[in-house]
């Protein structure tokens, strides 16, 4: 029996972080994935395949997050610089820095404590001042140091300049240096670090991809944090106004007419969307890009897709959420106090949104959907799917015989003589019986009859799926040999039909005329060229026959008769 106690071990906190790095900085393996990257040559966000290392991005973002959180202490400018020769990344910001003073209780400078000891910070107690802070767990920039070959921190509080360096994952601690300031400095805090090449194991090309990603991340921050100026290698990233509308305009290569929706009485919520070639969600919490979305992103997508789906429901058209999302690009930014994320990487928001707080009138969303073209795109998609459904619902070859209940088929239907055949559509079984009784006189060889059940379907108020699933229409399609894939423009195509003509025999009243109109509407909608060939006909019989002596008159509608009767003396 093995001694189980030998399997157990205790790790110091920093060693546990290094050994279980995925818990804190995400996956270190570099993966090739499609992501939107800012293309400086076009000034647009472009979807491209790029080597993405989540852990590398995390240790860089943690330093920028620290600088951005200092906005409550006057920070309004941040610069990120990269030296290709040394691989050093440097993040500088203005505003008040950490006071350069010795912590008497711990016997070290506050800056030493806050930049090197995990679980040290000032945001553990929720206050209005730190309500928008990204760093809340006391890790942040310490993670950057633990996974760097070297990290150097400079704090300038106006009078004193603090500087300290750590090396080899902070295992080697340099002596802090404190000097009096002799001049002015643009930056109050500077954090420079060289990511640990041994830990990350990235090629030169993969490292270059990481800097492209860092630059894109800074660009996002610049647009979503309008009070903050961001520079990359001392060059300003965004000129002019910074807001969600301007950010959406960077996606014009992939998103058609992205539109910002007016959200009245809610300054904590911005929503925009457009027609996209691929599903896209660009979501933010307090200006922080949440690449994996979260509850806020689901809320934004649901607001748009639910309104669009209800719009189509009122038109009796079935559009699924999957269809809508396949064409939808959503951009949203939520301002949330003391935001909660699923992990230290802060890529997925996990907070509970207040019920009813994020509401937009559906009509406002529909106006935006109409403007950007989503409604038309969905209509086209429905039409394409319905057309496909039609294509598969009819026979591909002419059938010699069909087995349809109550059909009296012409003997030559479906043969070489099918062009000579006529199909009579009559009202109900009694009309069929009367027709059959006269069949010997009109010859069964070329004449068939099929009784209709009540009123014909109104195809203009039905989807293609409903039409193809309608039992009576399916029977008529089968009897005639109609093929939805054919246009019937050319006379030769008529040879594929089982009948040469259709005659509608209905009562000479309003109902009869309505039935004929519905049948005609079906052919107008699906086979308009057959009407040009005279395929559909109606046998018209008089409604009233008036006779006086040897003279007789026939009237095909009651108004005509009434006009004649009113004008006649007797």
């Amino acid at each position: 029996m093995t001694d189980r106690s030998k399997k157990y071990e205790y790790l110091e906190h920093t060693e546990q972080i290094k050994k279980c790095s995925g818990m804190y900085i995400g996956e270190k393996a570099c993966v090739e994935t499609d992501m939107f990257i800012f293309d400086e040559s076009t000034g647009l966000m472009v979807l491209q395949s790029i080597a993405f290392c989540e852990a590398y991005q995390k240790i860089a973002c943690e330093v920028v997050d620290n600088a951005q959180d200092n906005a409550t202490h006057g920070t309004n400018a941040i610069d990120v610089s990269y030296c290709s020769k040394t691989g050093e990344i440097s993040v500088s910001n203005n505003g008040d820095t950490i006071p350069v003073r010795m912590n008497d209780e711990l016997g070290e400078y506050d800056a030493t404590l806050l930049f090197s000891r995990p679980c040290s910070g000032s945001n553990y107690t929720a206050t209005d001042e730190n309500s928008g802070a990204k760093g809340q767990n006391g890790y942040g920039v310490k993670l950057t140091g633990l996974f760097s070959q070297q990290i150097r921190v400079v704090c300038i509080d106006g009078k004193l300049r603090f500087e300290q360096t750590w090396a080899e994952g902070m295992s080697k601690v340099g002596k802090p240096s404190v000097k009096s300031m002799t001049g002015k400095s643009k930056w109050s805090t500077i954090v420079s670090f060289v990511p640990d090449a041994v830990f990350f194991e990235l090629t030169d090309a993969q490292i270059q991809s990481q800097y492209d990603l860092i630059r894109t991340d800074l660009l996002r921050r610049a647009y979503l944090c309008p009070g903050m100026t961001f520079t990359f290698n001392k060059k300003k990233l965004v000129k002019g106004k910074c807001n969600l509308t301007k950010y959406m305009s960077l996606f014009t290569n992939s998103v058609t007419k992205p539109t910002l929706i007016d959200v009245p009485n809610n300054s904590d919520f911005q929503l925009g969307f457009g027609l996209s070639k691929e599903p896209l969600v660009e979501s933010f919490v307090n200006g922080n890009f949440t690449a994996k979305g979260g509850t806020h992103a689901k809320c934004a997508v649901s607001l748009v897709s639910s309104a669009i789906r209800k719009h189509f429901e009122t038109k009796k058209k079935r559009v699924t959420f999957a269809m809508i999302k396949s064409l939808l690009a959503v951009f949203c930014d939520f301002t949330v106090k003391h935001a909660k994320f699923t992990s230290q990487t802060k890529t997925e928001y996990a907070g509970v949104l207040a019920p009813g707080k994020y509401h937009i009138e559906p009509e406002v969303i529909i106006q935006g959907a109409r403007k950007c073209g989503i409604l038309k795109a969905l209509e086209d998609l429905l039409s394409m799917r319905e057309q496909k459904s039609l294509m598969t619902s009819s026979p591909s070859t002419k059938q010699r015989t069909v087995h349809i209940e109550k059909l009296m088929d012409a003997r030559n239907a479906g043969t070489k003589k099918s062009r000579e055949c006529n199909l009579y559509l009559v009202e109900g079984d009694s009309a069929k019986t009367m027709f059959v009784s006269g069949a010997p006189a009109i010859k069964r060889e070329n004449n068939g009859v099929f009784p209709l059940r009540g009123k014909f379907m109104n195809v203009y108020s039905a989807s293609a799926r409903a039409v193809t699933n309608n039992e009576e229409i399916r029977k008529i399609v089968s009897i005639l040999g109609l093929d939805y894939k054919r246009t019937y423009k050319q006379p030769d195509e008529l040879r594929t039909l089982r009948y040469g003509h259709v005659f509608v025999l209905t009562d000479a009243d309003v109902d009869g005329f309505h039935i004929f109109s519905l049948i005609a509407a079906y052919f107008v909608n699906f086979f308009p060229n057959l009407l040009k060939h005279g395929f559909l006909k109606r046998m018209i019989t008089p409604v009233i026959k008036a006779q006086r002596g040897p003279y007789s008159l026939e009237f095909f509608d009651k108004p005509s008769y009434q006009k004649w009767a009113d004008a006649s003396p007797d």
Side-chain angles (χ1 to χ4, degrees), residues 292-428:
K292 296 179 181 178
T295 52
H296 66 310
K298 291 177 182 177
C299 171
V301 172
S302 178
L303 282 170
V304 178
S305 55
S306 294
I308 293 174
R309 188 181 188 189
K310 288 179 181 178
H311 169 76
F312 278 93
E313 284 178 350
T314 61
K315 300 173 72 174
K316 296 183 179 179
K317 294 185 177 182
R318 184 177 179 272
V319 171
T320 65
F321 285 124
M323 290 170 63
I324 298 169
K325 292 174 184 178
S326 70
L327 300 171
L328 187 63
V330 173
F331 302 82
C332 61
D333 182 27
F334 287 67
T335 302
V336 181
K337 291 184 177 181
H338 309 292
K340 301 296 181 185
F341 299 91
T342 57
S343 70
Q344 179 65 27
T345 58
K346 305 184 188 79
T347 55
E348 184 177 3
Y349 179 65
V352 178
L353 302 177
K357 183 177 181 180
Y358 305 99
H359 173 73
I360 302 176
E361 290 298 325
E363 185 52 40
V364 175
I365 292 175
I366 294 305
Q367 289 175 5
R370 186 175 290 111
K371 180 180 177 181
C372 70
I374 288 179
L375 296 187
K376 184 181 183 304
L378 286 168
E379 290 280 8
D380 292 343
L381 182 59
L382 279 176
S383 178
M384 182 180 70
R385 291 191 174 190
E386 290 178 347
Q387 190 66 25
K388 187 177 180 180
S389 174
L390 288 172
M391 297 299 184
T392 58
S393 67
S394 53
S396 57
T397 58
K398 181 164 64 174
Q399 304 293 313
R400 172 63 185 88
T401 58
V402 293
H403 302 284
I404 305 292
E405 185 181 3
K406 298 185 178 180
L407 167 67
M408 189 187 82
D409 208 12
R411 294 191 178 103
N412 289 331
T415 68
K416 292 180 180 180
K417 297 182 178 181
S418 59
R419 290 286 300 276
E420 302 171 13
C421 296
N422 303 312
L423 177 69
Y424 293 85
L425 299 178
V426 300
E427 282 189 85

Side-chain angles (χ1 to χ4, degrees), residues 547-568:
Q547 187 168 356
R548 177 177 293 169
Y551 303 102
S552 65
L553 292 173
E554 294 180 344
F555 299 93
F556 294 89
D557 57 72
K558 290 183 178 179
S560 298
Y561 165 74
Q562 195 61 51
K563 184 178 179 180
W564 173 81
D566 292 342
S568 299

Side-chain angles (χ1 to χ4, degrees), residues 201-214:
E201 301 177 312
L202 300 179
T203 65
D204 290 343
Q206 289 172 335
I207 290 174
Q208 182 57 51
S209 294
Q210 303 319 301
Y211 297 122
D212 292 340
L213 288 162
I214 290 171

Side-chain angles (χ1 to χ4, degrees), residues 481-496:
L482 292 169
D483 186 349
Y484 289 106
K485 295 187 288 293
R486 293 184 179 277
T487 62
Y488 297 106
K489 285 184 178 180
Q490 303 302 323
D492 284 349
E493 288 186 279
L494 300 180
R495 299 180 185 280
T496 64

